[in-house]
Amino acid sequence: MHKKSSRILGTPTRQRPAHPDAPGAPEYSSGSKALRTKNFDLAAEYFNRALQADPKQPHYWRAFATVSRIQGKINEAARGFCKALELDPGFSHAWNDLGNLYQSQGKFTEAAKCYQKSMELDPDGIDAHIGLGHTLLAQGKMEQSEQAMRWAVRLDPRHIPALQGLAYSLKGQGRHTEARKVYLHAWLLKPNDLQACIGAHLTLPTIYSSLAELSASRKQFAEGLKKLHANTETFIKSGSKELLSGLNWTNFYLAYQGEDDKFLQTEYARFVAKIVHSAAPDLMRPIRKNPGPLRNRIRIGFLSSFLRNCTVGSYFKSWITSLNRETFDIFCYFTGSIRDHVTEELARSSDHAAFPRGSAEDIGRQIKQDQLDILIYPEIGMDPVTCTLSAMRLAPVQCAAWGHPVTTGHAHIDCFFSSVLMEPENAQDHYSERLILLSGIGTCYSKPPPPSPAKRSDFSLPEERILYLCPQSLYKIHPDNDKLLSEILARNQNASLVFFQANDLSITRAFMKRLETTLDDAGIKKTGQIKILPRMEHANYLRINLLCDVMLDTLHWSGGNTTLDALACGLPVVTLPGKFMRGRQSYGMLKYMGMDELIAQGPQEYIEIATRLGLDHAWRTQLAQRIAQNSDTLFSDESPVRQLEAFLTMQMDTSLCHDR
């Protein structure tokens, strides 16, 4: 028999709910009924009355905390759960709830402790095992997450969320074939489960073992899209309340195959639009600009889970902080669980800062109530909630930027911002959106401050070797790069390639196995030519750039943030521009600085430039000096932001505004 996975409100492990005649019991029952019908304000009122009548009932406090969390009153929720646990330390459900609250705030250490306490009190409590598994996932601890999820599956082999969590942890370790099988098993158990079906058909490898595997995976993905469309009516007819949450998915790894993704992205976006239209049709209706009196300022919204100290935060911070406040009223929606100093800076710089939680539907309704004129997504494709929201019509004009530089395919994304320096001549052909090219590198990027000096020995780097830095995440390194790297090592036996390990060790192993196969085929002995460094904080990463001799840009997906860091450190970067913007960012930066000597026209010239940079110390030094002299022109250029302002202002009088 299938176990009931979870309830909104459970009972304490050691204390029963109050007798119907006990103080507060009628209010508690009425509040529970209001909560089930999603009348949250009424539920909160009843639970408050129950607490006033009997403040020593832990399940009253849990109920109060539960509705507070749903209402976004995080501090009140934390107080309620903690009070329930103070009254009954054996209340396993409250420990689990507090863990969920901490996890939503990015407090993963605290969340894990709560889940472990819940598991101690109730070893068969499946929700705590799943919660712990998701907390470990968020920390990149994939193997430990797998263990927690497998324990949950042992408790109930038919538990769909446990199976999905297990599949995700396997996917995070690069075990995509196993992940697909688990998703498929879940889908067969529950044919109307949307996420299981998507996972079974669209899961892609993190690291490709060969070009043949890449080609087969792409073909399998295309066939999977057909399966999704064929099953659309099954999902819609189910009328499941979980329909939108089933879209908890991104096609993140598709963009790293190095091909034109417009058709595949558009086909997936059509599928998502059908699901969203069925589940929340009001969030798909066209919107026209406010017909009332003209506002004093244009309402611009920015939404992302990555408005923090990362690539997205670094690239697009100036779009939020530097727009003219006399013209624009800035709304920021921080949908991620991680907050840092950049998050706080952007929140202070905004006229309206919101940290919405809940489902994509809940967040979409909140945004629509703000009556924005224009909504900008700095990235679409890296976060599942954002991928669902971008299918909706939440503002008259909706735009995406190149935080994830590939077309979204969504009919409700009107424009895609990019850089005029980085796009090829036929760029519009690669986008379903109207392509808007901003000047320069498209943003006003702050030059990172130089770190204090370091020695190679501080990072166990070889002293006498020529160090070629390959700083991209390993999943970005296409198999086409392997022969180039092999040939560079063959031409300079005193060279070493420097990589950074992936979040999960299995990903690093898979990449190294592929690269070592190429080196073996070329007859290159592996005697110190490859150095894998641990992930590190930004100051130390910049020190690595200062200690290396050359940065090797990667084919099909070039450096962005990494190239800017390298150039800020005076490190020569050799690049071979690709067919799409995502493979041309370093090209645009070097072109802007007049460093054409570092731009190859083909694979052979790439090898020759990289080899000469390693062997010709004088030439390398000369180029490094020019980079140091010219790099300031790349940073702190406000012209792209001024161009963005002009474009956004113009949109208020154009046909891009959609009629209601």
Side-chain angles (χ1 to χ4, degrees), residues 25 37-38 108 138 150 160 199 253 284 340 355 368 403 407 440-441 475 514 555:
T37 58
K38 294 190 176 183
F108 302 123
R150 285 197 184 279
I160 303 301
Y253 291 111
M284 299 292 281
D340 56 25
F355 296 83
K368 197 164 184 178
T407 183
I441 63 171
Y475 57 78
R514 190 189 78 202
L555 305 182

Side-chain angles (χ1 to χ4, degrees), residues 316-334:
F316 302 107
K317 181 170 71 171
S318 65
W319 286 18
I320 297 170
T321 60
S322 300
L323 287 179
N324 187 336
R325 286 306 190 274
E326 293 184 1
T327 304
F328 300 102
D329 194 8
I330 305 297
F331 292 71
C332 266
Y333 303 96
F334 303 87

Side-chain angles (χ1 to χ4, degrees), residues 204-222:
L204 290 168
T206 307
I207 299 290
Y208 294 101
S209 61
S210 64
L211 286 172
E213 184 188 32
L214 188 154
S215 178
S217 295
R218 191 170 182 86
K219 182 178 180 181
Q220 191 176 41
F221 185 94

Side-chain angles (χ1 to χ4, degrees), residues 11-14 84-85 88-96 113-126 128-129:
T11 58
T13 305
R14 292 188 288 177
L85 292 168
D88 181 7
F91 197 164
S92 65
H93 289 295
W95 281 111
N96 191 69
K113 290 178 180 177
C114 291
Y115 292 131
Q116 287 162 351
K117 183 66 176 179
S118 180
M119 289 155 53
E120 289 173 14
L121 293 164
D122 182 11
D124 292 337
I126 195 168
H129 291 280

Side-chain angles (χ1 to χ4, degrees), residues 28 36 88 190 248 261 282 370 409 460 511 559 593 621 625:
Y28 174 77
R36 286 192 296 272
D88 181 7
K190 188 179 179 183
N248 190 43
D261 295 328
D282 59 307
D370 288 336
S460 300
F511 170 76
M593 294 172 59
T621 301
Q625 290 173 346

